[in-house]
Amino acid sequence: MAKVPIKPFFDSSGSRIVLGKKIGSGGEGDVYTIINSHNDVVAKIYHKPLSRQKQEKLLLMVKGCNDELKAISAWPTSVLHAKAGGPVVGFLMPKISDYEPVHKAYGPTHRKEVFPHADWRFLVRTAKNLAAAFYVIHKFGYVVGDVNEGNILVNQTACVRLIDCDSFQVRSGSRLFNCEVGVAHFTPPEIQEEKHYDMERTKNHDNFGLAILIFQLLFLGRHPYAGVYSGKEDMPIEKAITEYRFAYGKNSRLRMIAPPPNSVGLPVVPDEVAGFFETSFSEDGARHAGRPEAGDWWDVLEDLENHMRKCSADSMHSYYAGLSSCPWCRLEEHSGILLFLSADSITKIDIRREWQKVEAIIPPGQIPSVSPMDYAVRPMPLHPGIARSLDFRGIRQIAGVGITAVCIVMLLGEMVTDYLWFVPAAVVIAALFLYPDETVNEKRRRKASLDGARYLWDLWNKKWLAEAGDEVFFAQLNHLREFRQKYEKIGQEYKADFLSLEQTIKDRQLRQFLGRWSIDSCLNPRITAGLKNVLKAAGIRTAADIAPAALRSIPQLDNTMANELLAWRDKTARNFLFDPSKGIERDDMQALIHKYQPRMKPVERELKIGTLKLRRIQEDVVKKRITLRPAIEKRARELAQAQADYEVFGRTIEEMALQDIRRIFNIR
Amino acid sequence: MDMILPDQQPLGAVTFAENPEPRCPCLLLLDTSGSMAGQPITELNEGIREFYNELQNDSLAIKRVEVALLSFGPVRVLSEFNTAECFFDPQLEAVGDTPMGEAIKRGIELIRNRKDQYRANGISFYRPWIFLITDGAPTDEWQSAAAMVREGEASKAFAFFAIGVNKADMKTLKQISVREPVKLQGLRFREFFQWLSNSMKSASRSNPGDKIMLASPLGWSEI
Ligand SMILES: Nc1ncnc2c1ncn2[C@@H]1O[C@H](COP(=O)(O)OP(=O)(O)OP(=O)(O)O)[C@@H](O)[C@H]1O
C-alpha cells in the first residue's frame, strides 16, 4: 500500500495542493481528499509516470470541462504536477459522495439493503438519468468506452454520475486518444472478440453497454444474454453476445435460449422500450449507428414514467400501466422472492386464512390393515402319491420308534447277551427314519415358495406402510406448525418493537402536554406563591419539570408538599390524550418494517409451499391406498397360502389349533 | 421417500433471482490428515476466515464468488457452493488419513452439480477454480482422479491448482495437477488466501473467458 504523499502538488494555475485522506484506490491510481480546500474536490494521483499521450489527453479533457459534464461525472477539472512545469502526475475532479455503484441498485439483494425505498419507478428513473448522462458525454464528442457496473454511480434520488473519466475516449481534430479498457459483459458483439481494446470506440458501442445497463435496471439485475441455453456446450455471456442470443428477444427460440426461471419478460415494458432492446441486441444494432441512442432512450423512458401505476395490494409495486395486473405481485407470489421492500406491512399473508387452508386438509386417517392373518386359506392339496408317501412316512416313523423301544426294553431286561444282535435292528431303524421319500422334494419346494412370499410381503408391506401411512402427513403438518410459530414469533417481536417505538413517542407527547401547564395553574393552597417562585428559580416551571429527584434537591419542600406536587402532575397527566396521527414518523415506521419483512418472507414462503405440499401428500396417500391396495393384498394372500401349504408338513395338531385361535381372534 | 415438491423449482432458484450476478465458483480441497495437526491446521483455519472476510468486503465479489469447502481425511463436504455472505467457519480438525483421490472426485462432482444449477437457472458463470491444499501423499487410489483432472482441464471445465505444504509429496502432486504444483513457503496460509481473494476479486469482475489471469503467487510460494 502506497503511503500518502505528503509533498504538495501544483494545479494548472500553479496553486499548491496538499493531499488529505485516501478515499479510493484503483488499478491506475489512488484518490485523495484535499486539505484546506473546498470539500467538493478530490485528486487522483497515478501510480506510474504517465505517457506523453495520456498527459495530453488529460490536458484536453480539462480544457473541455464544463458544467454539464461536471454535473453528470467526475470530470477532470485541473491537472496536477509534482513540481511546477513538470509532467502531469494526476488531476483534480469533483468529489462524488453518497453515491453507490449501479450494480447495488439493480441487484435485488443489494438494492433492498442500500436503497430500501427504491421501487420500480426509482429504477426507471435511474435508467432515464443514466441515458441523460450518456447523452451529455456523447454530445461533447466523447465516448465512455469502458462501460461497466462499477464506473457508474447512483444516489438515493436516482441521480447518476460517471467516474473513471480519464479512461474515456477523447477526440481532438484528427487526433484520437483511445479508451484502452473494457468489460466483456458490456462489450458489443462487433468488438467482443478483439484481443485488445485498441480500436476506435464509437457511440454505437457505448449504446450497447447503455442498453445492457438499462435492461439490468428494469429487469431486476438480469443480464439480457444470461438465459437457459438448450445447447450442450457452455454459453458464457461473452459468447452469447457474439452470437446475438438475447434470452428475452422474439428470436430467442431460434437462438436456443430462454429467459431464466423467476424472471419477467419484455411485456413488462411498453412496446417501444421492448423494441429498443430488440434492436440493441440484434444484428441490426451492430450495423453503423444501428442502436438507439442515449437521447432516444431518454424519450421512451420518460414516456414510461408517465404511464405508471401503483399496485392496489402493495404501494411499493409500481408498474407499467399498460399491463392488466401487477407483474411484481405475480412474480413474488409464484417465486417467493421479496422483490421490493414493502412500505405498508411486514407480511403479505393473512395467517388465519392460511391456517384455515391447512386445517381444511383432512388427515388421511389410519392406514387400512392388510395382513396375511386375515386370509383363511386351505392348503393346496398334495399330489396323491406324495400324500400316500407322507402317510406311509408316519407308519414308518411309528415302526421305527416301536422297534427302538423294543430294542431298549430288551436291552434293559438283559434279554440279549450278544450286542451284535442289535446291528440289523439299527440298520432297519435307520432305514425307516432316513430313507428318502418323495415328500422331501415337495417340502423343499413349498419352503422356497414360502420364503419367496415372505420376502415379497415384507417388501410390499414396507412400501405400503410408508406410502399409504399417515406418518409423512403428520411430519409435514408438524413442520407447518413450527413455521406458524416462527411466523407468530416474528410478528410478536415486530409488535414489541412497534410498541416501544410508540411508547417513546407517547412519552414525548406527554412531556409536551405537561410542559404547557405552568405551576402557576396549580391551585393547591399549600403551594404558595412564594414557594412557586422558589420552584421556578430551581428550574421547575411546568408540570413536565416535576419529578421526585428534582423536588428532593429543594430544601424548602417537605415530603407532603412534594407529594402534593407529584399528585398535581399526575392529575394533569390524566387529561392527556395520545394523538396517533402525530405518531410514529413514516421513516421510523418503514425502517421497522424493513427490519422485519426480510425475516418474514422466507417463513411466508415456507408456509405457502408447505401447505401445498401437505395437500399433495394427503392426495397422494389417499391415491396410494387405492392403487397399492390390490398389490399388497395379493402379497398377503400369497403369503397366507404359502404358509398354509408349508405347514402341511410337520405341523402338529397343537400348532394347527393355535393357528386357528390366532385367526379367529386376529392376533399376530 | 421421493416426494415431489409441489412447486418443482430447482433448488436455489430464489437466491439466483435475488442475486442474478454471474458466479465465480471456487472449491477448496483441504487436507485434514493427522499430520496437519497443531500449527498448520490453526493457520489454515485462520486463513480461511480471512479469505471470507476479504470477499465480504468487496461489493461485487460478495455477489459473484461462490466458495465450497471440502475436507479430506475423511472426505466431508463442509459447505456447498455459496456466496461469501454465508460465511462458513469450518473449524477444521486434523484427524484422518489422506483420501485425496476420493476428495478430488467428490469435488469435481460438486462442481458439475453446481454448474447444472447455474445452467438451469440462467446464471452465467466463470470457469471454476479448484485448490487442493495438502501436506502429504494420497493414501487411496488417486490415478483415476488424476485422469479426471486432466480431462477437466482439457475441456476447460475447471482449473485445478495444487498447493503443497511442508513435506507434501510434490512428485505425486505433479502427476495429479496439469498445472505446476506450488510449494507453500512455511505456513504462509494467510498470504496465500490474501492472494487468492485478490485473484478471485479481479477474476470476478474482468473478462476471464478462457484466460486465467492470476497475479504471481509472490509472498507465499517457494518459487
Ligand atoms: N470523484 C470521485 N469522488 C469520490 N470518490 C472517487 C472519485 N473518483 C474515484 N473515486 C473512488 O476511487 C476509486 C478508484 O477510482 P478510479 O476507478 O477512477 O481509479 P482507477 O485506477 O481508474 O481504477 P480502475 O481499476 O477501476 O480503472 C473508485 O472506485 C471510487 O471509490
Side-chain angles (χ1 to χ4, degrees), chain A residues 127-348:
Chain A
K128 192 177 92 171
N129 288 341
L130 178 66
F134 272 64
Y135 175 79
V136 173
I137 304 283
H138 290 170
K139 183 168 93 176
F140 293 105
Y142 303 99
V143 174
V144 176
D146 183 17
V147 180
N148 69 54
E149 68 287 83
N151 284 349
I152 290 157
L153 308 181
V154 185
N155 75 359
Q156 296 290 336
T157 58
C159 290
V160 172
R161 292 181 87 174
L162 276 58
I163 56 169
D164 209 3
C165 300
D166 50 326
S167 68
F168 289 4
Q169 175 177 284
V170 178
R171 172 173 282 288
S172 164
S174 60
R175 299 198 54 197
L176 186 70
F177 299 88
N178 281 92
C179 166
E180 289 154 349
V181 278
V183 169
H185 290 183
F186 300 90
T187 302
E190 308 90 279
I191 54 171
Q192 180 67 242
E193 284 173 301
E194 304 283 338
K195 287 240 156 32
H196 304 285
Y197 288 102
D198 51 5
M199 71 296 286
E200 174 167 4
R201 307 286 263 277
T202 66
K203 270 199 302 184
N204 201 41
H205 295 162
D206 267 9
N207 291 337
F208 179 82
L210 174 64
I212 299 261
L213 283 166
I214 294 175
F215 190 92
Q216 290 184 303
L217 283 163
L218 301 189
F219 290 83
L220 311 170
R222 298 285 184 178
H223 193 282
Y225 291 91
V228 181
Y229 176 62
S230 48
K232 275 222 307 263
E233 74 278 21
D234 281 352
M235 185 47 65
I237 286 178
E238 294 83 348
K239 191 153 177 261
I241 290 177
T242 46
E243 295 169 3
Y244 301 97
R245 295 186 199 272
F246 174 35
Y248 302 75
K250 55 179 185 288
N251 289 331
S252 63
R253 199 178 303 186
L254 279 174
R255 315 265 187 198
M256 293 165 65
I257 194 156
N262 293 338
S263 59
V264 287
L266 285 185
V268 301
V269 294
D271 288 347
E272 308 86 77
V273 178
F276 273 21
F277 285 128
E278 294 274 13
T279 317
S280 300
F281 302 139
S282 71
E283 283 93 336
D284 285 346
R287 296 207 187 94
H288 175 70
R291 299 189 178 98
E293 303 209 342
D296 305 328
W297 276 112
W298 195 90
D299 290 339
V300 293
L301 292 170
E302 163 85 359
D303 206 41
L304 170 56
E305 270 196 334
N306 293 329
H307 291 93
M308 296 242 277
R309 177 186 296 161
K310 261 190 183 161
C311 168
S312 55
D314 188 329
S315 67
M316 282 296 278
H317 284 183
S318 43
Y319 61 97
Y320 168 46
L323 299 177
S324 56
S325 66
C326 174
W328 315 126
C329 278
R330 211 176 325 132
L331 182 55
E332 283 193 345
E333 172 83 9
H334 151 254
S335 67
I337 306 161
L338 182 61
L339 295 175
F340 302 95
L341 291 177
S342 168
D344 316 319
S345 89
I346 58 163
T347 177
K348 290 195 177 168

Side-chain angles (χ1 to χ4, degrees), chain A residues 355-637:
Chain A
W355 201 253
Q356 276 167 8
K357 284 188 208 160
V358 173
E359 283 176 339
I361 303 171
I362 303 157
Q366 270 219 336
I367 185 167
S369 126
V370 178
S371 157
M373 302 290 180
D374 305 338
Y375 295 89
V377 285
R378 286 180 179 288
M380 206 174 24
L382 290 168
H383 189 269
I386 297 174
R388 220 176 301 125
S389 137
L390 196 59
D391 293 343
F392 185 58
R393 191 176 69 168
I395 297 167
R396 277 194 314 181
Q397 283 171 353
I398 292 166
V401 172
I403 296 172
T404 312
V406 169
C407 290
I408 291 169
V409 171
M410 283 165 72
L411 201 64
L412 292 177
E414 292 186 16
M415 292 171 179
V416 184
T417 45
D418 190 350
Y419 291 111
L420 271 177
W421 276 102
F422 287 114
V423 174
V427 171
V428 171
I429 295 170
L432 285 173
F433 278 109
L434 300 177
Y435 182 76
D437 60 46
E438 284 177 60
T439 62
V440 174
N441 281 336
E442 178 65 9
K443 186 176 172 186
R444 205 176 284 142
R445 207 177 56 70
R446 292 194 175 199
K447 176 79 173 60
S449 84
L450 174 62
D451 288 347
R454 183 167 291 133
Y455 175 77
L456 278 177
W457 160 258
D458 284 347
L459 221 60
W460 278 87
N461 192 37
K462 214 179 276 165
K463 189 178 165 72
W464 171 250
L465 293 178
E467 292 176 26
D470 51 11
E471 234 168 80
V472 185
F473 180 88
F474 284 109
Q476 177 65 15
L477 188 61
N478 280 336
H479 179 72
L480 278 170
R481 287 199 182 112
E482 266 166 40
F483 271 89
R484 189 195 152 154
Q485 274 166 11
K486 254 186 218 167
Y487 181 95
E488 281 165 350
K489 192 161 158 272
I490 298 171
Q492 282 157 6
E493 281 173 35
Y494 166 73
K495 190 98 181 274
D497 259 15
F498 175 85
L499 287 177
S500 81
L501 191 61
E502 201 178 60
Q503 191 57 47
T504 53
I505 283 155
K506 257 190 199 157
D507 291 348
R508 199 191 305 148
Q509 279 189 20
L510 176 64
R511 274 197 72 77
Q512 281 167 0
F513 175 82
L514 291 175
R516 287 197 289 274
W517 292 88
S518 155
I519 52 167
D520 289 334
S521 59
C522 174
L523 301 176
N524 189 320
R526 302 183 62 172
I527 314 296
T528 60
L531 190 56
K532 282 176 184 165
N533 284 335
V534 172
L535 288 170
K536 279 184 205 161
I540 299 174
R541 293 187 185 84
T542 69
D545 302 323
I546 296 176
L551 297 181
R552 237 173 281 134
S553 63
I554 298 168
Q556 288 90 332
L557 280 179
D558 60 26
N559 251 346
T560 31
M561 283 194 277
N563 283 337
E564 299 268 1
L565 276 168
L566 286 169
W568 172 69
R569 184 200 63 178
D570 292 346
K571 206 180 99 205
T572 313
R574 254 171 262 141
N575 291 324
F576 163 70
L577 262 181
F578 174 53
D579 179 0
S581 72
K582 292 204 198 87
I584 303 170
E585 298 274 334
R586 197 180 146 77
D587 276 0
D588 292 339
M589 195 60 219
Q590 284 204 1
L592 197 60
I593 289 171
H594 293 170
K595 180 175 157 198
Y596 284 97
Q597 199 183 19
R599 281 177 59 197
M600 207 55 139
K601 190 73 191 171
V603 180
E604 281 176 14
R605 177 180 159 79
E606 199 57 40
L607 276 167
K608 288 198 110 150
I609 289 182
T611 309
L612 288 177
K613 192 172 166 187
L614 186 70
R615 175 161 318 127
R616 182 61 78 91
I617 290 171
Q618 191 255 14
E619 287 166 359
D620 215 50
V621 168
V622 171
K623 209 170 73 203
K624 285 275 167 61
R625 285 183 182 179
I626 297 166
T627 54
L628 283 184
R629 186 111 192 201
I632 181 82
E633 283 180 346
K634 179 165 175 258
R635 266 76 209 191
R637 207 181 319 111

Side-chain angles (χ1 to χ4, degrees), chain A residues 103-104 106 108-110 112 149 182-185 220-222 227-228 234 237 260-261 334-335 337-338 472 605 609, chain B residues 1 3 5-7 9 13-14 17-22 59-60 62-64 85 119-122 124-126 207:
Chain A
H103 65 81
K104 289 196 180 177
Y106 63 63
T109 328
H110 267 150
K112 285 186 280 179
E149 68 287 83
V183 169
H185 290 183
L220 311 170
R222 298 285 184 178
V228 181
D234 281 352
I237 286 178
H334 151 254
S335 67
I337 306 161
L338 182 61
V472 185
R605 177 180 159 79
I609 289 182
Chain B
M1 189 169 336
M3 206 45 95
L5 274 177
D7 55 344
Q9 271 162 8
V14 173
E18 294 211 308
N19 173 21
E21 293 287 333
S59 64
L60 265 184
I62 196 173
K63 290 193 277 193
R64 295 184 173 176
E85 271 170 308
R119 285 196 197 96
N121 285 287
S124 83
F125 54 91
Y126 300 120
N207 328 313

Side-chain angles (χ1 to χ4, degrees), chain A residues 23-29 31 42 44 74 93-96 151 163-164 166:
Chain A
I23 56 163
S25 103
E28 293 186 285
V31 177
V42 293
K44 174 164 173 174
M93 59 184 154
K95 180 179 180 183
I96 299 184
N151 284 349
I163 56 169
D164 209 3
D166 50 326

